[in-house]
Amino acid sequence: MSEGTGQRGQEREHAYERELERERESEREFEHVRVAVIGSGFGGLGAAVRLRREGITDFVLLERGDSVGGTWRDNTYPGCACDIPSHLYSFSFAPNPEWPRTFSGQPYIRAYLEHVADTFGLRPHLRLGREVRRMRWDGEALHWIVETSHGTLTADVVVSASGALSDPRMPEIPGLDAFPGKVFHSARWDHGYDLRGKRVAVVGTGASAIQIVPAVQPEVARLTLFQRTPAWVMPRTDRAISRAERALHRALPFTGTLRRQLLWGIREAQVQAFTKHPDLLGVVENLAKANMALAIKDPALRAKLTPPYRIGCKRILLSSNYYPALARPNVDVIASGLAEVDGSTLVAADGTRTEADAIILGTGFHVTDMPIAERVVGADGITLAEAWKDGMQSLRGASAAGFPNWMTIVGPNTGLGNSSMVLMIESQLNYMADYLKKLDGLGGRAGGVALAARPAAVRAWNDRVQQRMLRTVWNTGGCTSWYTDASGRNTTLWPGTTTEFRRATRQVNLAEYEVIRAAGGGGGDGGDALSVPAQRTRTEVVR
């Protein structure tokens, strides 16, 4: 037998073994679990840790990527870092005394999440490369049928932690598809493309763009920034955390906790200005103008970069090198959005034309229209996207009417404008844990019981949220932001403190839910909730 023939035989044998393994994986994938968690970013990993701490091991963590990390796995653009201090942008139950900087970069945050997965024994629950294609509520069996790219499984409860910053928003610009150069979104960075010596256009001025611009400006021949709306930018007081500090946090963990509490308290004290007294932000606005004046000496450029809205209406961005980069001679700022692409010529809405070899899209994500909502089919046979066609809304950021035993982590109106989302995630984990305890009390550990958010309770919660939103800077500041949906409602942010949200999600109020039981099923007392047959698809309305 020739060497080539033997090699081909081995390749066929290996291919056969791989096929058998895929079949075995498919068989294993068709299983029933108590909880299916979607996503493995902060929300998904946090949910998995909490489930294990509650003694629940019958769960899977479905991840479409090839590793954990969520947005911190996907966003690898130059300069990518968090704008929340590291000791606050981490789990309270998993402190990290080794943060290298006060504002750590993407590689360190991703490494932290990998560490969490290892430390808390989450690897056996992970199903990597399992993109969820469809989730359908089975009203007879009272469970979710979850179809993935590698098989189907069923789950009593689904916890969706896919995140709001997971699906890039690609702009609809005439001619963009025919652009002869390179085009990519900031969240899908092409590391194989060399920007050195190129004419590069950056579209957008959000949190990603202000990190990308100073990172690539020194190496490109020309950088053109298409700025539809300028952002308020404050200095980013980033520094290396000394060896002595790290040693102190290792030896005396309470010092790291104190550091975290101080960072939290400062941000908690700022909330009133955003939510109740926006006029107080005028002082911060003056500081932002002074910060700009230090780096931008050209009055015409300063005029372009000065926002026409109250600071805080859009997210306040942090950078100490963005303005200096814009002042460099190889940078042009076009105070207009990109309207059209004509070959290699980019045409702004104000008619300005410029040539480019590459276009970097810093155009954000699908936040108020999350694509996963199109894949979730509830009790009435409609998708979550259809249920939310007039705007996202859920009970306490977790439960949507018509979708029993389905919860979101980082759901509607749980976002923050000035502090760490990890704080909100941990509050929602408290709610998730109590939700499962309530199900247990109703006999739900063996299945056959579901909790469905009452439409009246969802409406009441969201009416209160939207009423509080009216006086916030996000509604009164005179801007249009990604916080608001097509109807102009802010369905993204929480109009209060993290302490208030923690209190609101400490436990599940069964009066806000309807208890659904399988036909002929037993179980515990439903308390204030109404027990109904499983076949029922309409949710009872509180009168």
Side-chain angles (χ1 to χ4, degrees), residues 442 451-452 454 509-516 525-532:
L442 296 165
L451 289 175
R454 297 177 182 269
N509 179 3
L510 277 179
E512 296 180 327
Y513 287 86
E514 178 181 13
V515 179
I516 306 174
D525 182 12
D528 292 323
L530 181 65
S531 183
V532 298

Side-chain angles (χ1 to χ4, degrees), residues 115-131:
H115 175 73
V116 168
D118 290 330
T119 301
F120 292 92
L122 305 184
R123 299 290 179 187
H125 302 279
L126 272 169
R127 303 290 188 271
L128 299 175
R130 302 304 199 261
E131 181 175 8

Side-chain angles (χ1 to χ4, degrees), residues 96-181:
N96 178 20
E98 303 299 336
W99 287 119
R101 303 193 67 84
T102 52
F103 292 85
S104 293
Q106 174 267 340
Y108 296 101
I109 299 173
R110 181 179 178 183
Y112 170 77
L113 293 173
E114 294 279 3
H115 175 73
V116 168
D118 290 330
T119 301
F120 292 92
L122 305 184
R123 299 290 179 187
H125 302 279
L126 272 169
R127 303 290 188 271
L128 299 175
R130 302 304 199 261
E131 181 175 8
V132 174
R133 292 176 173 171
R134 186 177 176 87
M135 291 176 276
R136 180 172 59 83
W137 175 249
D138 186 329
E140 293 186 2
L142 294 189
H143 64 215
W144 285 92
I145 300 171
V146 184
E147 301 173 18
T148 80
S149 55
H150 282 74
T152 300
L153 59 90
T154 56
D156 293 331
V157 177
V158 168
V159 176
S160 179
S162 60
L165 305 181
S166 58
D167 293 282
R169 181 180 292 280
M170 302 298 289
E172 296 181 2
I173 299 172
L176 183 61
D177 291 342
F179 178 67

Side-chain angles (χ1 to χ4, degrees), residues 316-333:
I316 301 173
L317 305 182
L318 302 182
S319 177
S320 297
N321 53 12
Y322 177 64
Y323 285 146
L326 296 184
R328 301 300 297 170
N330 67 329
V331 177
D332 293 316
V333 177

Side-chain angles (χ1 to χ4, degrees), residues 284-470:
V284 183
E285 199 168 291
N286 289 332
L287 293 174
K289 289 179 180 178
N291 175 53
M292 185 194 306
L294 287 174
I296 306 297
K297 304 304 180 183
D298 179 5
L301 182 55
R302 278 206 307 272
K304 286 183 181 180
L305 298 174
T306 302
Y309 54 85
R310 171 65 76 194
I311 193 170
C313 185
K314 290 176 177 282
R315 190 175 182 92
I316 301 173
L317 305 182
L318 302 182
S319 177
S320 297
N321 53 12
Y322 177 64
Y323 285 146
L326 296 184
R328 301 300 297 170
N330 67 329
V331 177
D332 293 316
V333 177
I334 298 177
S336 181
L338 178 59
E340 180 186 356
V341 177
D342 181 13
S344 61
T345 302
L346 310 187
V347 185
D350 66 0
T352 304
R353 302 172 72 88
T354 188
E355 297 292 313
D357 302 308
I359 302 174
I360 300 170
L361 300 171
T363 48
F365 300 84
H366 289 274
V367 176
T368 60
D369 57 341
M370 293 184 288
I372 197 169
E374 299 173 356
R375 308 180 186 190
V376 185
V377 182
D380 295 325
I382 64 172
T383 66
L384 185 61
E386 291 171 319
W388 282 351
K389 66 181 186 300
D390 296 323
M392 300 189 302
Q393 55 178 310
S394 63
L395 177 60
R396 303 179 189 273
S399 302
F403 296 82
N405 281 11
W406 187 88
M407 303 185 69
T408 54
I409 304 295
V410 189
N413 290 114
T414 61
L416 295 177
N418 75 314
S419 193
S420 173
M421 276 305 302
V422 182
L423 301 170
M424 302 295 277
I425 288 171
E426 290 195 24
S427 292
Q428 291 200 285
L429 299 183
N430 292 339
Y431 195 76
M432 177 197 74
D434 195 57
Y435 187 101
L436 293 168
K437 288 177 182 176
K438 291 291 196 299
L439 274 179
D440 283 353
L442 296 165
R445 181 174 286 276
V449 180
L451 289 175
R454 297 177 182 269
V458 175
R459 286 195 299 271
W461 172 261
N462 282 275
D463 285 347
R464 290 197 297 272
V465 168
Q466 292 304 319
Q467 184 62 37
R468 292 184 63 179
M469 196 70 73
L470 294 177

